[in-house]
Amino acid sequence: MNGAIAVCQRAYDLLVQKVGFPPSDIIFDPNVLTVGTGMEEHANYAVDFIRATKWIKGKLPLAKVQRRHQQRFFFLSRQQRRARGDAQRVLYHAIRAGLDMGIVNAGHAGGL
């Protein structure tokens, strides 16, 4: 179990079992670290996010999953163009895994 999944499980249990919070009002964002940077050491962050999304949707009934999508490309080198495409692929796969909502800065939405 990766760290994001463990935190989401603990938060869900505390909210639902101890506090009596409605599970349908819980929104998780398991995107702990930056994805789509194009840097090799960040390669698993996107996979971890997608796996966590799928796990949450399968194991934490009624909870929602959201992701903040930050799009800032002031110069588009070859690596940046690849990273931009990678970020869009992450959204595609996250939606297939059960992503309920995304947050984008409307000022940068044209770059999606």
Side-chain angles (χ1 to χ4, degrees), residues 2 4-5 29-33 35-36 43-58 65-67 86-99:
N2 76 31
I5 290 173
D29 185 347
N31 185 40
V32 179
L33 300 166
V35 301
N44 286 336
Y45 294 172
V47 173
D48 290 343
F49 169 72
I50 293 165
R51 285 183 182 150
T53 298
K54 189 172 185 173
W55 185 89
I56 290 165
K57 297 308 288 184
V65 179
Q66 67 104 41
R67 180 180 186 275
D86 289 348
Q88 291 168 335
R89 282 186 284 283
V90 169
L91 285 176
Y92 171 81
H93 289 290
I95 290 167
R96 294 188 65 161
L99 182 70

Side-chain angles (χ1 to χ4, degrees), residues 8-31:
C8 290
Q9 178 71 68
R10 179 162 163 68
Y12 184 89
D13 291 343
L14 288 170
L15 287 167
V16 173
Q17 296 169 9
K18 296 213 180 220
V19 179
F21 198 81
S24 58
D25 289 345
I26 299 172
I27 302 171
F28 289 112
D29 185 347
N31 185 40

